Amino acid sequence: MYANTVAAYARGVTDFAAFCRRQGVDPIDVRRGIIAAYLADLHARPPGGGCAGRVCNLTALAPQPSNASLRHRLTIIRLFYDYLVEEGVRTTNPVARGRRGKLGGGSQRGERGLIPVHHVLPWIPSEAQWKSILTAARTEPIRNRLMLALAYDCALRREELCALDTSDFDPAHRLVTIRAETTKTKAGRVVPYSAVTGELLAAYLPARRTLSRTRGPLFLSTSPRNRAMPISKWTWSKVVYALGCCAGEPKLGTHTMRHLCLTDLARVGWDIHEIARFAGHRSIQSTLLYIHLSARDLSAKFAATAAELHEARLASIAELQL
């Protein structure tokens, strides 16, 4: 995980330096105007990826960089200039920070950063949208269908899914072990998977043996360039992006199946602590971020529990209107 973080930060700094060169500015001498121009450039860039040779007319509808992505890139640049200030190369950091302060009487006064914080709810596909995704997945290779099924069944993160090993599975009890070293929290867990996913696993293993007969990483590349090598998380991202385009759902991402699974568990009445253990969360607060019941679910719950109470409390308003 730390190596991936370092690599991501290095890519961010390299990209910013390339932008500065295109602007004819030395990165050491950058002022706030260049930082703002860089953020505008990031926002205007077309999204990466493609449809991997499939017929797709939805590329233009793909989302622009998210608020979180822009804030992450800005954090990379801020830390870069923090380092330059610490080393005495610069006297100030051109990346403005948001600050909170208090005025007299305890009132709050804040200074906004370049990018405001948005807490956007993740996209959860409806029943019709999920059906479209599954219909499009029917034409995918057996490996991709199994990966999609496991991502949903076990609420797996992208890294956890791609790191699965043949020895992680207990087919007799339909259990899979998520090893600690592959998880975000460095805490392992054992989760079940459905009979349908078990059938896909049984169908995939013979196909895998045509690539390698040795035990090890479960999901192998079929590309001539990387044949029989473990599939990378970037390859899985491209597969999911292409699948979403061809299903008419360009919002589909590698984390969508995890969101949908955890939300479905809440819909059928799982306790929040049970969902947290299933998801591998250390904090209940983390779990709450993944539970986004639809308006239909909330309407049904309201009708079953609180509708009469609310009607009684608002009855006087109705009488005044009459």
Side-chain angles (χ1 to χ4, degrees), residues 109-126:
R109 180 181 181 181
E111 180 182 340
R112 289 179 54 183
L114 286 174
I115 303 176
V117 179
H118 293 164
H119 297 288
V120 181
L121 295 179
W123 176 73
I124 303 292
S126 66

Side-chain angles (χ1 to χ4, degrees), residues 16-277:
F16 176 69
F19 174 80
C20 290
R21 285 195 298 271
R22 293 196 298 270
Q23 300 297 311
V25 177
D26 187 336
I28 302 299
D29 301 323
V30 158
R31 296 183 180 274
R32 290 190 178 188
I34 293 295
I35 302 297
Y38 177 61
L39 293 175
D41 179 74
L42 287 175
H43 193 270
R45 293 181 189 179
C51 290
R54 297 174 174 85
V55 178
C56 177
N57 297 320
L58 295 170
T59 304
L61 299 179
Q64 294 297 319
S66 67
N67 175 269
S69 297
L70 293 175
R71 284 175 54 80
H72 179 257
R73 186 59 63 90
L74 187 63
T75 297
I76 293 174
I77 305 307
R78 179 187 295 123
L79 293 176
F80 170 67
Y81 283 107
D82 277 346
Y83 171 77
L84 294 184
V85 170
E86 183 178 341
E87 292 296 312
V89 179
R90 284 183 62 108
T91 58
T92 60
N93 190 327
V95 184
R97 284 178 167 83
R99 294 184 176 89
R100 291 182 178 179
K102 286 188 176 181
L103 298 175
S107 60
Q108 294 287 335
R109 180 181 181 181
E111 180 182 340
R112 289 179 54 183
L114 286 174
I115 303 176
V117 179
H118 293 164
H119 297 288
V120 181
L121 295 179
W123 176 73
I124 303 292
S126 66
E127 292 298 321
Q129 290 169 327
W130 182 241
K131 184 177 180 180
S132 296
I133 293 167
L134 294 181
T135 299
R138 290 177 183 174
T139 60
E140 289 289 320
I142 183 63
R143 182 201 69 187
N144 296 348
R145 282 183 280 155
L146 174 60
M147 293 184 73
L148 183 70
L150 282 168
Y152 169 75
D153 248 358
C154 306
L156 298 181
R157 302 178 179 93
R158 179 179 63 166
E159 291 79 3
E160 295 170 348
L161 177 65
C162 294
L164 286 175
D165 194 278
T166 54
S167 61
D168 294 333
F169 288 82
D170 178 2
H173 299 92
R174 291 208 302 269
L175 296 173
V176 59
T177 299
I178 314 302
R179 287 169 284 118
E181 64 268 23
T182 70
T183 69
K184 183 178 180 180
T185 59
K186 301 304 178 185
R189 64 189 189 277
V190 179
V191 293
Y193 56 88
S194 67
V196 173
T197 300
E199 293 175 3
L200 290 171
L201 176 63
Y204 169 69
L205 291 177
R208 183 190 180 279
R209 282 195 289 270
T210 64
L211 298 171
S212 174
R213 292 185 173 273
T214 61
R215 297 178 66 85
L218 178 63
F219 298 116
L220 303 179
S221 172
T222 58
S223 168
R225 185 178 61 179
N226 300 312
R227 186 175 178 81
M229 296 294 291
I231 189 173
S232 71
K233 60 182 181 180
W234 309 115
T235 297
W236 176 235
S237 293
K238 292 178 181 177
V239 168
V240 172
Y241 177 79
L243 177 62
C245 285
C246 296
E249 304 297 341
K251 292 183 179 180
L252 182 69
T254 57
H255 225 56
T256 301
M257 282 66 74
R258 179 173 169 87
H259 285 307
L260 180 60
C261 174
L262 299 182
T263 302
D264 281 346
L265 294 180
R267 285 169 173 163
V268 297
W270 276 42
D271 179 82
I272 189 69
H273 295 87
E274 295 172 332
I275 298 174
R277 288 197 300 271

